[in-house]
Each structure stands twice: as structure tokens, then as C-alpha cells.
Amino acid sequence: MTFYAKSEGKETIREHTDRLLHNLNLLKNAYGYKFTLMDERMWKLLETAVQYHDVGKANTVFQNKIRQVIHESVLETDVETNVPHNYLSVGCIPLKQLDFTKEEERLLIHAVGYHHEREQFPEKEMIRHILENDIKQQLPQLSEHMGLPMTEKFSYRFVDRLLKRYTYHDGEEFWKYVMIKGLLHRLDHAASAHMDVERDVEKSIYINVNEYMQKQGFHKNDLQQFAEQHHDKHVIAIAQTGMGKTEAALLWIRDDKAFFTLPLRVSINAIYDRIKEKMGYDAVGLLHSTSVHYLVDKEENWEELKQQSEHYAKKLLLTTIDQILKFPFYYKGFEKELAAMANAKIVIDEIQAYEPKIAAMLIKSLEMIHRVGGKFMIMTATLPTLYLDELKQRNVIDNDQIVVGEFIDTSVHRHRIRMRAEGIEETIGEMLELGETSQVLVIVNTVRKAMSLYDKFLDCDTQVPIYLLHSQFTQEDRQLLEKRIKQFNEKNERGIWITTQLVEASIDIDFDYLFTEMSTLDSLFQRFGRCYRKRALDHDHCNIHIFTEKISGIPRVYNEHLVNESIRLLEQYDYQIVDERAKVEMVKQLYDRKQLKGTSFLKEFEDALYMFDNLDPYGMDKREAQQKLRDIQNIQVITRQMYDQIEHLFEQYKKEREWRKRLKLRMEIEKKTVSVQRYVAEKYVSERLPKPFDHIYIADVQYDFNREQLKGKGILLDKPSSNQH
């Protein structure tokens, strides 16, 4: 008799299982030696789990479901109860014949029993009913179909054993379970997608980086040599911007499988281009919440690429932390992500850019990666001491396995600062004067402040070009402005750009003067990097002006205590050069645990760590974990006027059947949206769009932008649209 596993392609249970076995061999041959927790017994267990994971699909209710879809006659049965096949599979395993220890049996039962995480708990009576009244009759044929022995007599103790789930209190056994179940997920998901679980195993980014550097005539600097020498350890590298950190990380990765994370999607896309186009390395994938939009425009085989990226099959994956490092939430199915780290290296770039709650999650995830045998590298311009101490306390850092290096070049001076006890709006005249002959960058802490400053400039009678860039333009307008600021900078035009911390990390520009509101030191120093970025200071004037009065964005954007401490630390450098060494030292002091005592920053960090250390496992699903991480403060809105203009796109989307065209339409629609802070936008939102656009809200407000001149303020949340419905 034929037992089906999938309706697509009428795939049988045996065929599907063989796909998993093919992937199992592929994984073991490629990276077997890398898995520190997998010995021969563990591989044997995993293979057994693979062989039996889907045999429960032989139940007639499941078979009839598939037979209906593929138009085959249904089988007669008087059983109607539907029980998830993963629970039934466990009942068919001939544990008595398999010569496993009690602990190994538990691993096997749990890996198979939970290879799908269901809302429905295993229910002994229902399971008994189906095994006795349905599967029992099928066992001889099932055994023949699978070429495997099945149990001779059903025992139901496994149901009680399933109800007592593994938690980290199980010690070493918990980590073994993570490996068996996580790898089973990976093999199963790849097999269902009809793809190899690992791709391009033989390719090595190391070769491409070296060739690229030789071609460019680059010599490896101290940072890059350090990373290359310590490729077998965890690495923490504190290095200033512009030191070739990306190359250093790729040299550290060597021939290994790797995940490379960055805080900003724009930066990830840029690195993807560099690795693929400039270094000619094609074993690279891209995974973040809008990566499809990016790939569609760039790659012919983008669907394949998207799938391989989603299943972590690529040798090198560029991604955001919400995609791969959320396993400290122990959501249902977290084992897949964690097991994917066990034979890999993980790079975390710019750890100081994350807020304390998320930094806590990162520290916890590094501890877990360490436990399953993965390696990590933290690369950052400034490292809060607090994070280093926490890793030490968690025994993640012991001296044989980790190296810490600082790479700071103090030979080139780029920044002389002036501290100004006034509000930034009080020096508009001065900025205009400089704007006549130079490029002036103005950075403030909130969009609202940026808009009001822009208005004040426009009120002056001036010929100096004034531009505004912040996050509250539509996606397409923001792209235009980002392109324009780069072009303005490269062509050495004169004028003033007013921006927010949007330009801190994602846009590669080098202006003559920076006028900035005070923020915390780590973000302030990122801003410094947009002024005299690639050259030495060639005059005695202050090229950076820092305003310490009437600062916007406190406490919503920046912690008040940290800003005040930052001012105190900086004051000694008034009218002085601030070199790279001084920056690193000041940030160390600012984020020292003793200094942070009693601050909300430390409280958030410690509360989050306490939560991760004491979470109830399997309490949430993957989407909830992702929601917790994503920028929950922001929602996407579209103005009423814009919505009316593109209403036909929604209609087309509804009618369109071809999914490629649907995706294109969806991207068209998304381009017209603006990302706005929830608490600000809620007052103006009149309705939420129906699915699948239910993440977009309509706001009855005006939008101001002239695309020809690139002038305007973006979404005007305090100006209701005149034609309110």
C-alpha cells in the first residue's frame, strides 16, 4: 500500500524520509566534526528520529485528507478523530529493539513528538484510540513501506514522558535535546522545500577576501591580522570606524559557515553587494524583514536565494538579530535556530547600537551559542564595559577560548570640538555663513526638532541650499534623499543638511562641519564619524559643535542620566582634539556598572536578563518573539490623500493571482508608507487596512514633499488633511 506524506508531487512517507536522510548525510559529511555536542551515539539518535518522524502520517484520517486533494479514492474507516501525526509517530517506534539508554529514549521521544509544535497537547485516550483502532491494522504494510521494524506492542508511557518537557534545568541533556530536535527541524524543513540543507560547503570566503584585498592593493592591518590569527576563538574587537572591520570579520570566518548580523538593513544590503559583486563570492544569502524587496530588483534567481536564506542553507548569511538570535525567548521551535549556530560562526557588528533590553538578549544568546559549540565575534567602535563584565560572569569568557583586542589609530586627528551651552536654534546665522562656503551637517535628536529647525532656516532670507532628511518621509522619498545627500557630498556642493540620528550609521558621508545636539557618547561619536570621516583635520577651527541646552528627545530617545554624564566626561575636551583613544575610554567609563548604578538603563538591562534567565520555555511562538524584538514603537502609516491616489493598486492586488506580480504590487504600496512612532501616530489614525495590509494604518494628515526640488518636511502629524472623510 502507498502511504503519502505530502500532496504536492504525491510524495510518499518513504520518499520524504529519504530526502531527510540525504540531507542528514550532507550535513554530517560537511560539518560533522564541527558539532561539539554530536558524537556517534547522537548521530545514531538523530538518524533514528529521521526514520520514524513521519510514520504517524499512516493514520487513515491523514491519508484521506491527502487522497482527497490528489483525487484518489478515500479509504474506508470508522475512525474520525484527528490527532497530530507527530504524537502517533512516537507510538510506532520499537523502543525495545533499539538498544538506547533511558536518557537517549527520552531524547528520541521528545524530538519526534515535538518536531511540530502544536497547540494541542498529547492526549493519551485519543492517541490510544487511533493507534489501537487504526494504525495497528496498518503496521505490517507500514513496516514494509518504510523498510523499518515497527513496535510489536503499543505502550502509552511515552505520552506521560512527552508531558514533562525539557528545560535548561535538565543540564547537559537539555543541550543535547536542542541539537537533536533543532537538526531534525532543519532537515525536515529543507526536505519539504526540496532543497539541500547546506549549500556551497566547499566555498570559502577567506579565499575571496584575500584575492579582493590583493587586487585592491590593501595590506592587512593589525585588526585584520588579529582576526585571522584567532579564527579558532571567540573574538571581541574594539575598533574605530573605517578600519576594515567587515574584511576582518570575513578573515576570522575563514572556511566556516557563518551568520553576519548588523543593526541596520541598509548596511546589510550594502555589505551583501560588496561581498557578491566586489569580492565575487556567491555563497552569500540575505535575510531581514524586507530582504525580498531588495533581492527582487537585483537577482534573477531571487526566489531560490530567499528560500536558501530562510532555511539557513547559505554558507554565509547576512541578517538582522531578530531573524536568528531570538532563541533566548525559548519560543516553540527555537531549537532550529540555536542548532544552526552549533557548527557556525556568528558576527555581531556594533553591539552598542542596541537598546539595553536587546543587548541583554544578545548577551544571553552568546551564552547559549557558546554552550552548543558555536563561535562568536563582537565588533564594535565602543564597547560598554557592562556587557563585557556580564559575559565574564556567565563564564562565557574564559581565557583559553576568547581574545579581546583594541585597535585604535591615534596618529590622525579628525575632530576638534566646541561645547556650547545654548540651544542649537540659536546659531542659525553662524551655520548659514559656513554653508556659503562649506558642507554643514546638522543632527538633532527628534524628527519634530528637525522640522522646526528647517522652518526656521527657510524663514531666513538666504541663497544657501537647505535640505531635510529624517525617517518620516515615505520609503521612496527617503531613498531619493539618501541618494541626494551622498551625491551632494561627493560633488562637494555647498549647503546645509538637517538630519536626525538616521545618518549616524547607515549613510557614508564626510562633511566639513557638524552641528549636533548632545546625545549619549556612543551615538555622539557615531555622528562625529560623518564629519572629516576620511581625512585629517587641516585647520585650527572647531569642526564639531555640540549643543548642551534645550536638547530634544530626552528622556524618550536618550536616557537623561547618561546624557548628563556624557556632558561631564566631554567637558574637559572643549576646544580640544578628541582622538579615538579618548572616545573609547569615555564610553568605557560611561557604561561602567558602578557609574550606571540606579539608572533606568541598568535596570532595563538587568530586568531583561533576569527575564531570559527565568523564562517559562515554550510559552510563546516565533511570531510573538519577533514582535517583542522588532521596533514595536513604530507603525506604518499612509496618508489619506496618498491612499486615495493608489487605491487602484489594492484592487489590482486583490484580483492578481500570479504571486510575482502580487509581490511587485505589494512593494509599490509599501513604498508609499511612512514609519512613525506609535504613540505619536495613534491620535491621527482613522482606520487600519484589511489583510494582508493590516500592518498599515491610514492617517488623516498632510504630507509635504516636492520630488523635483527634493524640498519639504515629510509627514505633518499635527496638520489634519483638509478633506477629512
Side-chain angles (χ1 to χ4, degrees), residues 245-436:
K245 283 192 284 193
T246 306
E247 283 76 3
L250 298 174
L251 290 166
W252 172 74
I253 288 168
R254 293 246 12 178
D255 311 337
D256 286 304
K257 180 180 178 68
F259 298 87
F260 195 129
T261 73
L262 290 124
L264 292 159
R265 297 184 304 222
V266 209
S267 329
I268 300 178
N269 293 345
I271 289 187
Y272 175 82
D273 283 354
R274 232 168 97 198
I275 290 176
K276 193 140 192 185
E277 285 156 28
K278 301 226 169 90
M279 299 183 187
Y281 184 73
D282 59 3
V284 57
L286 188 67
L287 183 62
H288 55 68
S289 58
T290 55
S291 50
V292 175
H293 299 184
Y294 189 73
L295 291 171
V296 167
D297 291 338
K298 291 203 79 78
E299 308 288 354
E300 299 216 329
N301 63 334
W302 62 268
E303 296 146 76
E304 197 186 347
L305 237 164
K306 165 183 181 281
Q307 243 192 344
Q308 290 169 359
S309 300
E310 284 170 351
H311 290 297
Y312 317 139
K314 281 292 191 196
K315 183 90 186 247
L316 172 60
L317 187 62
L318 304 175
T319 179
T320 46
I321 59 169
D322 64 85
Q323 297 287 344
I324 58 155
L325 296 180
K326 53 187 180 300
F327 41 79
F329 283 109
Y330 292 109
Y331 54 86
K332 298 183 176 86
F334 76 91
E335 303 91 346
K336 177 182 177 181
E337 287 172 15
L338 185 48
M341 304 285 139
N343 59 321
K345 287 178 170 168
I346 294 82
V347 177
I348 295 184
D349 196 5
E350 302 299 357
I351 193 168
Q352 87 291 344
Y354 299 102
E355 53 172 280
K357 285 198 212 44
I358 295 189
M361 180 194 75
L362 285 175
I363 302 285
K364 185 73 187 173
S365 63
L366 295 178
E367 181 188 351
M368 294 168 79
I369 288 167
H370 177 70
R371 282 302 311 253
V372 296
K375 291 267 179 282
F376 61 80
M377 175 181 200
I378 297 175
M379 292 195 301
T380 184
T382 48
L383 179 68
T385 339
L386 175 67
Y387 300 163
L388 205 54
D389 296 345
E390 192 57 52
L391 283 167
K392 282 185 187 143
Q393 276 179 2
R394 292 174 174 264
N395 297 327
V396 178
I397 293 187
D398 62 31
N399 298 339
D400 320 337
Q401 293 179 306
I402 190 154
V403 289
V404 182
E406 279 190 6
F407 301 90
I408 294 160
D409 174 9
T410 49
S411 63
V412 182
H413 291 163
R414 305 173 191 278
H415 306 125
R416 183 187 298 276
I417 70 168
R418 182 171 164 200
M419 305 287 286
R420 308 183 60 155
E422 52 190 330
I424 197 164
E425 53 282 306
E426 290 163 47
T427 55
I428 286 179
E430 200 178 318
M431 295 188 237
L432 283 171
E433 208 170 308
L434 286 169
E436 286 173 11

Side-chain angles (χ1 to χ4, degrees), residues 9-162:
K10 299 188 181 182
E11 193 169 29
T12 65
I13 301 181
R14 184 69 256 174
E15 286 164 348
H16 172 65
T17 305
D18 286 337
R19 283 187 189 280
L20 271 89
L21 289 170
H22 160 79
N23 271 330
L24 172 66
N25 288 324
L26 203 153
L27 183 71
K28 189 178 174 186
N29 294 335
Y31 298 113
Y33 65 102
K34 285 274 175 205
F35 289 106
T36 51
L37 296 177
M38 297 289 291
D39 54 15
E40 272 316 307
R41 289 295 287 184
M42 288 281 287
W43 285 109
K44 181 81 196 120
L45 263 176
L46 179 57
E47 188 190 338
T48 311
V50 164
Q51 291 279 22
Y52 287 96
H53 81 288
D54 265 1
V55 293
K57 285 184 173 176
N59 79 80
T60 314
V61 174
F62 185 91
Q63 288 302 311
N64 279 342
K65 261 195 201 154
I66 290 193
R67 296 177 83 95
Q68 279 173 326
V69 175
I70 61 178
H71 308 301
E72 286 193 12
S73 56
V74 291
L75 310 166
E76 284 197 14
T77 174
D78 36 16
V79 172
E80 286 166 6
T81 328
N82 190 9
V83 169
H85 71 267
N86 33 302
Y87 302 145
L88 301 174
S89 297
V90 185
C92 302
I93 302 175
L95 290 172
K96 293 259 186 301
Q97 301 172 38
L98 287 176
D99 169 43
F100 285 131
T101 66
K102 274 278 169 278
E103 270 309 336
E104 289 170 331
E105 276 184 16
R106 185 181 177 206
L107 287 168
L108 181 61
I109 288 171
H110 278 254
V112 173
Y114 290 111
H115 79 270
H116 295 286
E117 295 276 0
R118 310 282 187 189
E119 291 301 309
Q120 194 180 337
F121 288 114
E123 225 273 341
K124 195 181 279 188
E125 277 321 303
M126 285 166 70
I127 291 172
R128 183 198 305 270
H129 176 66
I130 293 197
L131 288 176
E132 296 294 348
N133 299 317
D134 183 32
I135 288 196
K136 199 173 194 171
Q137 289 83 316
Q138 328 266 17
L139 278 182
Q141 291 151 302
L142 181 58
S143 179
E144 192 184 328
H145 173 80
M146 295 300 293
L148 290 172
M150 296 290 157
T151 186
E152 283 161 16
K153 184 170 178 300
F154 291 125
S155 146
Y156 297 95
R157 290 210 12 244
F158 78 86
V159 186
D160 304 323
R161 293 174 83 174
L162 275 177

